[in-house]
Amino acid sequence: MIRGIGSFLKELLGELAGEVVLTVVACLAVGGLALAFVWGWELSPLVTGGVGGALLTFLAYGGWELLRPARPGRRGRLAGVAAATFAVAALFIAYAWSCTCS
């Protein structure tokens, strides 16, 4: 009985620690992106807008590759990287949405 409770507490604390780490990383990533955007906008608004547009286009391509019906054949490297980037960005957005670090 005591081992069961200890195992439960160990698993619970591990999950809580993982959630805290992911939330902190997501908050820091959002803060870093905001800081990079402001710094870039002060240097060159045109380049910052272009890089932001290219990043959003890349993420949209990754989302499209991830959600479209599968076709026979091998997925290209760029498509795989874009899909993985989209998945990581979606995970970070989900955790940053619950961030109270504003």
Side-chain angles (χ1 to χ4, degrees):
M1 181 76 176
I2 293 176
R3 282 190 184 177
I5 294 172
S7 173
F8 171 76
L9 287 176
K10 184 178 177 183
E11 183 177 341
L12 179 69
L13 290 176
E15 287 182 17
L16 285 175
E19 290 282 330
V20 167
V21 167
L22 280 175
T23 302
V24 168
V25 169
C27 286
L28 289 176
V30 168
L33 282 173
L35 186 64
F37 179 79
V38 169
W39 176 73
W41 193 264
E42 288 177 359
L43 289 179
S44 173
L46 183 64
V47 172
T48 303
V51 169
L55 181 62
L56 286 176
T57 303
F58 185 69
L59 287 174
Y61 173 62
W64 180 72
E65 282 291 329
L66 201 63
L67 300 175
R68 74 180 179 139
R71 287 189 298 185
R74 200 177 85 164
R75 181 184 284 181
R77 286 185 189 166
L78 181 64
V81 170
T85 304
F86 176 79
V88 169
L91 179 71
F92 274 180
I93 287 170
Y95 277 98
W97 196 272
S98 65
C99 181
T100 58
C101 56
S102 55

